[in-house]
Amino acid sequence: MIERYCTEAMTSLWSREAKYARWLEVEVAICAEYAEAGIIPREDYEAIKAAGSFELARCDELEKETRHDLMAFVRNVSERVSAHAGREPSPSRWIHMGVTSYDVIDTALGMMMRDSCTVLIESAERLIGAINDLDHQHGHHPCIGRTHGIHAEPITFGHKLEGWREELNRHLKRLEANRTEIAVGKISGPVGIHAHVDRSLEAKICARLGLSADPSSTQIVARDRHASVLCELAVLAGSLERIATELRNLQRTEILEVQEEFAKGQTGSSAMPHKRNPWNSETICGLSRLVRGNAHAMLESIMTWHERDLTNSSLERVIFPDTFQVVDFMLHRLTRILSGLVVMPDNMARNLRLMGDLVFSEHVMVALTKKGMTREAAYKVAQRNAALAWEGNDFKTSVEHDPDVASRLSAEEVEEMFSLEHHLRNAPK
């Protein structure tokens, strides 16, 4: 992922240096449990633990020969352990013994994805905090609710915020479930048959790394787990896009109920100095498309030939780090937008009154229905008076003088029908 859309927290987990450090952690954990089981001498494990390290430049050099990044890494670590030990037989002979490359790669990947879910949970919690702060400051402002882009009925700004908050709370639960499901490793060897490492030893190695052992791995951990995580990230990105799209619409010139913070000296347009574009919100919307595409690619990688093939490997090198980076960036960016959002309650009030009292038409229908009219008849009464309003008449005045209304409702009941406070009486709850 280009640096523009990276976060420090995700980079610390997905950089090449971080990935190789996880590989080393897995290799050392295997040797640690070998030593506990008496399979290798304790002093050899201590030597591996003390000198086990790698150098990316040397790994690159070795990979030109091996054409296998994990094997180049193992050779590099073995070289450094041998040089430090200075004795024969070298303790390095135990490194990567009885395991296959994906025992290391997939186990490390389980750790990286587990920790990435934790980062996203923390970022989502900060976003919820920004929503709560915004709700506390501005949630009470009345505004117009819209369906199909058309004025519907009055709501409060807090009603929008509540929906966003509850949606993100659902994502927190799904991320927590995904974090648990993806926190698995495998030390089951080629094709997963446990030829050299029995299940109890595998479980101990995984536990040392904070993982559960996959109960039935092949040469890899089955990719349904990984696809589930990527699909959740796509759904999360969709929710962030929903919020960002609403913010974009509310910033339209003819609506202008909110506005992204505009810093002194900021450029909105290279050609039009007056422009203040919702570019931060637009960035979120654009990146959500990338996340959805990556989720689709991972869905295609659930299927592998027999006990494994290599079709998943190349795309995972791209979509795992990129997707986690982008989603965390989106969470951070939306938090920044909402933390600095300029809310314009006067414009909300202005827009709320654009259609006059037409937005209370449902109250007319409901009140007449309660007085004995059929719903269909009450609907027609409200609709015919609404039609007069579209022609320029005042809706409330027309309703007050309608014989079907005047014969059934008192003046006080009519006033209640057109009361914004009455309409929003349950909103704070």
Side-chain angles (χ1 to χ4, degrees):
M1 177 50 59
I2 63 173
E3 188 176 348
R4 185 182 188 94
Y5 301 126
C6 291
T7 67
E8 184 177 343
M10 283 302 178
T11 299
S12 71
L13 296 175
W14 289 98
S15 68
R16 187 182 175 206
E17 183 88 30
K19 180 173 74 170
Y20 279 35
R22 287 299 199 188
W23 287 358
L24 181 61
E25 202 173 336
V26 175
E27 294 283 8
V28 172
I30 293 169
C31 291
E33 290 301 330
Y34 280 170
E36 289 290 329
I39 297 172
I40 68 175
R42 169 64 64 174
E43 60 270 22
D44 283 0
Y45 161 65
E46 295 296 340
I48 292 168
K49 180 182 177 182
S53 59
F54 60 90
E55 182 185 15
L56 292 179
R58 178 57 177 158
C59 289
D60 290 340
E61 184 180 338
L62 290 168
E63 191 175 346
K64 292 176 183 177
E65 177 186 344
T66 64
R67 300 190 181 187
H68 192 294
D69 57 352
L70 190 283
M71 204 61 245
F73 162 81
V74 169
R75 284 180 58 179
N76 180 219
V77 174
S78 298
E79 287 176 346
R80 295 166 80 89
V81 170
S82 295
H84 182 269
R87 59 183 169 85
E88 293 294 338
S90 171
S92 65
R93 70 188 188 277
W94 306 117
I95 298 173
H96 206 69
M97 183 188 71
V99 298
T100 188
S101 57
Y102 261 73
D103 286 335
V104 178
I105 292 171
D106 268 5
T107 302
L109 183 60
M111 298 163 71
M112 293 161 70
M113 293 184 75
R114 173 201 64 198
D115 294 347
S116 295
C117 286
T118 297
V119 169
L120 293 181
I121 288 169
E122 293 170 352
S123 296
E125 287 173 340
R126 283 192 292 272
L127 175 56
I128 292 171
I131 292 172
N132 288 337
D133 291 342
L134 197 59
D135 195 4
H136 179 73
Q137 297 175 49
H138 298 289
H140 61 283
H141 298 313
C143 56
I144 190 64
R146 299 172 177 89
T147 59
H148 308 279
I150 306 300
H151 285 207
E153 290 191 0
I155 61 172
T156 61
F157 187 55
H159 184 60
K160 290 182 187 288
L161 299 175
E162 180 185 41
W164 301 350
R165 179 172 56 244
E166 290 304 314
E167 190 165 346
L168 288 167
N169 279 327
R170 291 192 293 275
H171 282 295
L172 286 179
K173 293 178 182 178
R174 287 191 284 262
L175 284 170
E176 288 164 357
N178 280 133
R179 179 173 59 182
T180 299
E181 185 178 44
I182 201 60
V184 298
K186 69 166 292 277
I187 312 294
S188 55
V191 300
I193 203 61
H194 294 87
H196 301 288
V197 180
D198 66 32
R199 289 181 181 272
S200 63
L201 187 57
E202 176 189 42
K204 291 177 181 178
I205 295 168
C206 288
R208 180 178 284 266
L209 299 167
L211 303 172
S212 299
D214 190 316
S216 183
S217 58
T218 59
Q219 192 151 316
I220 62 173
V221 172
R223 261 39 193 174
D224 64 293
R225 296 178 186 269
H226 308 74
S228 178
V229 176
L230 267 289
C231 284
E232 162 52 21
L233 298 190
V235 178
L236 173 55
S239 293
L240 301 181
E241 182 183 17
R242 182 175 88 87
I243 297 171
T245 299
E246 180 67 11
L247 292 172
R248 289 171 64 193
N249 271 314
L250 294 180
Q251 291 178 77
R252 288 166 57 187
T253 307
E254 61 273 25
I255 296 177
L256 201 58
E257 294 181 357
V258 302
Q259 191 173 65
E260 292 180 14
E261 187 177 30
F262 199 83
K264 183 178 181 180
Q266 182 175 329
T267 299
S269 165
S270 63
M272 296 170 284
H274 71 280
K275 293 296 289 298
R276 292 190 176 187
N277 301 323
W279 69 277
N280 285 295
S281 301
E282 291 171 330
T283 297
I284 292 170
C285 293
L287 291 175
S288 69
R289 301 168 187 173
L290 175 64
V291 177
R292 283 193 289 274
N294 287 353
H296 177 78
M298 194 62 232
L299 289 170
E300 296 289 332
S301 287
I302 296 173
M303 191 282 295
T304 57
W305 285 13
H306 304 299
E307 279 60 57
R308 86 150 298 190
D309 61 34
L310 205 61
T311 53
N312 67 294
S313 176
S314 54
L315 73 92
E316 288 177 3
R317 293 173 188 267
V318 177
I319 66 172
F320 285 158
D322 280 11
T323 307
F324 279 108
Q325 285 276 21
V326 163
V327 174
D328 197 42
F329 173 87
M330 292 168 71
L331 287 164
H332 279 252
R333 180 55 56 92
L334 188 53
T335 301
R336 193 177 86 182
I337 293 171
L338 294 182
S339 296
L341 194 69
V342 178
V343 178
M344 303 177 176
D346 290 344
N347 288 353
M348 290 179 177
R350 179 203 67 201
N351 292 334
L352 182 58
R353 299 305 304 171
L354 281 178
M355 294 180 68
D357 291 315
L358 273 176
V359 293
F360 296 109
S361 65
E362 185 190 19
H363 284 281
V364 176
M365 178 183 69
V366 170
L368 291 173
T369 302
K370 288 181 177 179
K371 292 295 183 177
M373 292 186 75
T374 65
R375 186 186 182 282
E376 290 74 18
Y379 185 98
K380 289 180 180 179
V381 171
Q383 188 179 49
R384 74 182 179 224
N385 285 286
L388 294 173
W390 282 109
E391 296 171 3
N393 295 287
D394 179 72
F395 180 60
K396 183 181 178 184
T397 302
S398 298
V399 169
E400 287 175 327
H401 291 88
D402 188 291
D404 285 321
V405 175
S407 63
R408 289 173 172 83
L409 298 172
S410 67
E412 291 77 15
E413 289 172 320
V414 171
E415 285 301 319
E416 185 177 272
M417 288 191 308
F418 289 92
S419 166
L420 181 62
E421 291 72 21
H422 176 74
H423 178 79
L424 296 176
R425 66 193 181 281
N426 292 316
K429 299 177 182 178

